[in-house]
Amino acid sequence: MVERPAGGPGASGAASGGEGEEALDRPLPEGVRRRVVALTADAFGALTVAELPLPLRQYARFTPSRRAKFAGNAMAAALESDAVFRQRIAGKVREAQPEVADALERGTPPAAADPLDIAAAAYVLRPDGWSKLVAAAGEEAQRVRAERAGEETERELTRLREELARARADARADADRVRAELDAARKENDALQRKLRSALSDVKRGAATVRKAEAALESERSRAASEKAAADSELRRLKARIGESEAALETSRRAAREGRSVEDMRVRLLLDTVLDAAQGLRRELALPPAGVRPADTVEAVEPGRMTPKDVANRALSETDPALLDQLLALPQAHLVVDGYNVTKTGYPTMPLDKQRLRLLGGLAVLAAQTGAEMTCVFDGAELAAPVLLAPPRGVRVLFSKPGVTADELIRQLVRAEPPGRPVVVVSTDREVADGVAKAGARPVASALLLKRLARV
């Protein structure tokens, strides 16, 4: 086969810009343009950088798909304006698709080929009559789009008809349902009307019964008034008889006192004997005078002493450290501390042993300052081994047993205290605070203790 010049017949006219060169009388159809860009992007990589127009050299290392995406407009413009570049691309297309190129040059494009592919190849190769092939491909693509649009319209019309049929069926079903509900509502309304008439009849009967009861009550009041008058008369008669009886009793008492003087003397003598015997027994046993009186055993708040409720009524904020000082100033106050709850609130990043030592050191100083009993409770579940710890002076340190949480151990400590003793529990856990409050203790937040320890 004789090698044809790159670009085919008409290519030399395009290169020289001759007057007989074919041209399109309308813009390149979009479908043809996309195929032209794809052909150019595939043939692009076979050219050297020197053979590329300057605007396209930056895309030399791109893949064909990326060239088509990012350099599509630039390649289309270069094909239209640069005849040499177009001839080079045409040569590569002719090498890749020799059958299509030969058929176009003979003027007999393959009937089974895609019109858009034939038009794109004709646009690049520029055989005689290429503009007609491009125009025919554009018209064919437009016709195909029209047919597809018609098919889409037909399918949409069919879908809308089906939806209309379903909507009508749903509307008929809704109408039937509404009619059924209306019939049920009418029946229910009739039943309610009957119940209302029955209720009105019951109200009328009740009103008649009330009127009868009021008449019976009035009659009973009249009878009670007459009975009261009779009772008052009987009471006056009984009072008169009581007066007579009291006078007779006083007379008999005077007679008994006069005759009972000897018996009084004997009883007095026996009483003196018993008193002397009791005094002798006290001297023999060396019994001290009684220092406790029955009234001392009754629990109450003495004048000048404060209770947790008194402290709560003071005008101090729940976050004021002075509140903790007032609570610990109560007589026999006992401070119970939820250890890890306080340490993980104040210094959570420290190791557990450092947290315990820091908290217990602060509590020891606070115990020395206030004299209050202090118990610090830690959760034993977090211990990997027994803790070697010497509790500081004035602070009791307890770890919960296996299976028992620190919260439960705190509640046991609170329940073990006698009612009325001031017990202050430091914990931010709401469940612990509510539980100890029901048991009579005073809960305070961990932040309050941390603020107080910061002043130690």
Side-chain angles (χ1 to χ4, degrees), residues 32-104:
V32 178
R33 179 186 177 280
R34 286 197 296 270
R35 301 296 175 88
V36 169
V37 170
L39 282 175
T40 307
D42 291 336
F44 198 95
L47 300 178
T48 63
V49 176
E51 293 175 334
L52 297 176
L54 289 177
L56 298 179
R57 291 181 180 178
Q58 57 181 323
Y59 305 107
R61 295 182 179 275
F62 282 28
T63 61
S65 60
R66 294 189 67 205
R67 289 191 202 108
K69 180 177 180 180
F70 296 104
N73 294 333
M75 288 190 295
L79 286 174
E80 183 66 26
S81 61
D82 192 338
V84 176
F85 174 68
R86 185 176 65 248
Q87 289 175 3
R88 290 171 180 165
I89 294 297
K92 301 303 179 182
V93 171
R94 183 175 288 104
E95 292 175 3
Q97 304 179 23
E99 295 84 359
V100 174
D102 291 341
L104 288 175

Side-chain angles (χ1 to χ4, degrees), residues 290-299:
V292 179
R293 298 293 185 266
D296 295 333
T297 64
V298 178
E299 295 182 352

Side-chain angles (χ1 to χ4, degrees), residues 43 192 304 336 354 407:
L192 291 176
V336 181
K354 301 296 183 181
D407 299 347

Side-chain angles (χ1 to χ4, degrees), residues 300-314 316 322-335 366-367 369-374 420-425 440-444:
V301 178
E302 298 179 3
R305 296 178 62 183
M306 291 189 297
T307 65
K309 184 180 294 183
D310 297 328
V311 175
N313 293 331
R314 300 284 295 271
L316 290 177
L323 175 62
L324 186 60
D325 290 335
Q326 290 187 359
L327 291 172
L328 297 180
L330 295 173
Q332 298 298 322
H334 184 187
L335 181 68
L366 185 61
Q369 292 176 349
T370 61
E373 179 183 356
M374 295 193 182
R421 184 183 184 186
V423 180
V424 182
V425 178
R442 174 65 159 85
V444 297

Side-chain angles (χ1 to χ4, degrees), residues 14 52 77 98 160 178 251 286 321 418 452:
L52 297 176
L160 292 176
V178 169
T251 301
R452 178 60 182 84

Side-chain angles (χ1 to χ4, degrees), residues 174-252:
D174 290 342
D176 295 339
R177 180 178 56 79
V178 169
R179 280 193 294 271
E181 291 179 354
L182 181 59
D183 293 339
R186 287 174 178 170
K187 292 179 181 178
E188 185 178 358
N189 184 45
D190 294 339
L192 291 176
Q193 290 288 347
R194 288 193 297 272
K195 289 182 180 179
L196 179 59
R197 288 192 291 270
S198 177
L200 291 175
S201 177
D202 292 342
V203 169
K204 291 179 181 178
R205 287 195 297 270
T209 303
V210 169
R211 288 193 294 271
K212 291 180 181 179
E214 288 178 348
L217 179 61
E218 187 62 27
S219 173
E220 188 67 21
R221 284 176 178 172
S222 300
R223 186 180 63 80
S226 61
E227 290 180 355
K228 182 176 181 298
D232 290 342
S233 176
E234 181 67 15
L235 180 61
R236 287 192 294 272
R237 187 179 64 80
L238 291 176
K239 285 183 177 180
R241 291 189 61 182
I242 289 173
E244 295 174 356
S245 300
E246 289 178 349
L249 180 61
E250 182 62 25
T251 301
S252 63

